[in-house]
Amino acid sequence: MLTNQSYLESFGLIEELDEQATETISGGYGVFEIKNKTVYNVPYAIDGTVTGDPAPGSDRIWTAYSGNGLTIEFDADVRIDYIKLKKYTLTDGVYEFQNNLNTDNPYDIDLYSVEPIPLF
């Protein structure tokens, strides 16, 4: 009697499934969640395109081919008259815009990695 695995082996699908699993583990698509935990509008650009919901409390999930990651750029000083651009390459995970408590400027914000995205 043939099992499911022997059926797959007889059609040469085991090797193909193994290749797909390897591609998924080593590359595939990444998932990135970006939250705004500040009281400010924080517009940002993903891979050079101005987008995203800048509103306080917003939450957006992005996907990108993992081999490339995602590049995010934003103004880390939320005052209108000041520009302090920051740029990061993100890996899978959850990120939050939060007040930057490491500076004396109360208008400084930064993007923090808060947790990885679970695979399952």
Side-chain angles (χ1 to χ4, degrees):
M1 177 164 186
L2 293 175
T3 64
N4 286 341
Q5 182 170 346
S6 60
Y7 279 121
L8 292 173
E9 287 171 351
S10 68
F11 289 110
L13 295 176
I14 291 295
E15 292 82 13
E16 185 178 335
L17 291 173
D18 286 344
E19 288 174 19
Q20 289 175 356
T22 301
E23 181 182 330
T24 300
I25 291 168
S26 65
Y29 284 88
V31 179
F32 313 85
E33 184 173 7
I34 301 180
K35 300 177 180 184
N36 183 354
K37 295 294 185 178
T38 73
V39 296
Y40 307 107
N41 286 334
V42 184
Y44 56 91
I46 298 291
D47 290 341
T49 302
V50 176
T51 189
D53 184 355
S58 64
D59 187 353
R60 179 82 189 267
I61 296 177
W62 299 88
T63 60
Y65 188 69
S66 287
N68 301 331
L70 255 183
T71 302
I72 187 169
E73 188 172 16
F74 64 97
D75 185 359
D77 187 323
V78 294
R79 294 176 290 184
I80 294 173
D81 298 340
Y82 295 88
I83 296 176
K84 182 179 170 184
L85 292 179
K86 285 198 174 182
K87 186 175 187 176
Y88 296 114
T89 299
L90 308 179
T91 57
D92 291 357
V94 179
Y95 296 85
E96 291 180 352
F97 287 113
Q98 299 176 8
N99 292 331
N100 184 349
L101 302 177
N102 297 321
T103 70
D104 292 334
N105 181 353
Y107 300 102
D108 275 353
I109 63 166
D110 211 339
L111 186 67
Y112 298 93
S113 174
V114 293
E115 64 185 78
I117 295 272
L119 294 177
F120 299 100

